[in-house]
């Protein structure tokens, strides 16, 4: 039976909600302090494991993009219609906002928590960067990391890949790797929806800087798709 547009929309909404709630939640609730929390490595795995879990939960329904950069990349490589990508992106952004809202409701239940100080795992550069990295560093990191992430996705989901059943695991682990390297630079986005959700609720600097976490992942996605389609996929 053909999967309906509403089913795909719902799957992408739910999947992105889970990614933001669990990924950003690991930073806000579980903590980046390695002595009393999960640390940066734990946060990295939280994001990756969220993708793995959702890949096997909703992958058969929508393909588990849960990321506008992936949907845009799929359009460029010819695996998706642009009209369908628009539906996916709307679902992803709404899901990310819902995930951030749920995270805020949970986090605000602790005495001493404030949205201004504790945040919601938003991304940033310069004063908004976890380690003070510049705008240029952030843009390059987000573009290159998204390029790599999409390359893994294109390759692992290719019909030519005999290990396609492990695509979800490969994609999730690649996101872990990207976070291990990139958390201190920008907090890691490689996903415009993941950045938009927390930024809308946090406001201030997060909103003023969110453009980078839309533009750089989209650029990285398009570059990766072009390389895959015209240089690698033909071989």
């Amino acid at each position: 039976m053909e999967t309906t547009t509403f089913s795909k929309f719902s799957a992408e909404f739910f999947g992105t909600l889970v990614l933001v709630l669990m990924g950003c939640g690991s930073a806000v609730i579980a903590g980046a302090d390695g002595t009393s929390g999960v640390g940066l490595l734990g946060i990295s795995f939280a994001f990756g494991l969220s993708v793995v879990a959702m890949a096997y939960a909703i992958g058969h329904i929508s393909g588990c993009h849960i990321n506008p950069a992936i949907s845009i990349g799929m359009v460029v490589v010819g695996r998706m219609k642009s009209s369908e990508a628009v539906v996916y992106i709307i679902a992803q952004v709404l899901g990310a906002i819902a995930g951030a809202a749920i995270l805020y409701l949970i986090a605000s239940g602790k005495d001493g928590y404030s949205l201004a100080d504790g945040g919601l795992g938003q991304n940033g550069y310069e004063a908004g960067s976890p380690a003070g990295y510049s705008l240029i560093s952030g843009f390059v990191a987000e573009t290159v990391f998204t390029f790599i992430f999409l390359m893994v996705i294109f390759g692992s989901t290719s019909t030519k890949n005999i290990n396609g059943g492990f695509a979800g695991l490969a994609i999730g682990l690649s996101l872990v790797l990207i976070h291990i390297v990139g958390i201190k630079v920008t907090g890691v986005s490689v996903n415009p929806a993941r950045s938009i959700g927390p930024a809308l609720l946090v406001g201030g600097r997060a909103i003023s800087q969110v453009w980078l976490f839309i533009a750089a992942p989209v650029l990285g996605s398009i570059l990766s798709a072009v390389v895959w389609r015209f240089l690698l996929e033909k071989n």
Side-chain angles (χ1 to χ4, degrees):
M1 184 172 66
E2 184 179 355
T3 304
T4 65
T5 299
F6 180 74
S7 294
K8 293 178 180 179
F9 180 96
S10 300
E12 288 296 307
F13 176 91
F14 175 70
T16 314
L17 183 158
V18 171
L19 174 67
V20 172
L21 176 59
M22 297 303 180
C24 295
S26 68
V28 176
I29 297 174
D33 182 355
T35 62
S36 60
V38 297
L40 296 182
L41 187 60
I43 295 170
S44 299
F45 270 96
F47 275 100
L49 290 175
S50 296
V51 169
V52 172
M54 289 303 98
Y56 292 106
I58 65 170
H60 63 291
I61 301 172
S62 67
C64 188
H65 292 187
I66 60 176
N67 181 342
I70 295 175
S71 298
I72 291 170
M74 289 299 176
V75 172
V76 177
V77 296
R79 297 187 192 177
M80 189 180 202
K81 295 180 179 178
S82 57
S83 58
E84 188 174 30
V86 170
V87 173
Y88 272 49
I89 292 170
I90 293 172
Q92 292 154 2
V93 172
L94 292 177
I97 295 171
I102 294 172
L103 175 57
Y104 174 65
L105 288 175
I106 295 171
S108 61
K110 180 181 179 181
D111 289 339
Y113 171 84
S114 73
L115 191 60
D117 296 329
L120 292 172
Q122 66 272 14
N123 301 113
Y125 56 86
E126 294 176 347
S129 163
Y133 283 84
S134 69
L135 185 157
I136 294 176
S137 293
F139 196 93
V140 170
E142 290 291 331
T143 301
V144 173
F145 292 160
T146 307
F147 180 97
I148 295 169
F149 188 42
L150 267 290
M151 197 64 69
V152 173
I153 292 169
F154 295 141
S156 61
T157 59
S158 171
T159 56
K160 298 177 182 179
N161 191 333
I162 61 174
N163 298 311
F166 295 97
L169 185 60
I171 294 167
L173 289 176
S174 70
L175 191 60
V176 172
L177 178 62
I178 287 168
H179 275 77
I180 289 173
V181 177
I183 283 181
K184 287 197 172 185
V185 181
T186 62
V188 180
S189 172
V190 300
N191 181 340
R194 170 261 183 273
S195 296
I196 291 171
L200 285 177
L201 272 69
V202 173
R205 183 190 297 125
I207 282 290
S208 68
Q209 295 188 351
V210 76
W211 68 269
L212 185 148
F213 304 102
I214 297 173
V218 169
L219 176 60
S221 169
I222 293 173
L223 291 174
S224 186
V226 169
V227 170
W228 177 262
R229 182 171 185 175
F230 297 105
L231 296 181
L232 299 181
E233 192 174 31
K234 291 182 178 181
N235 296 327

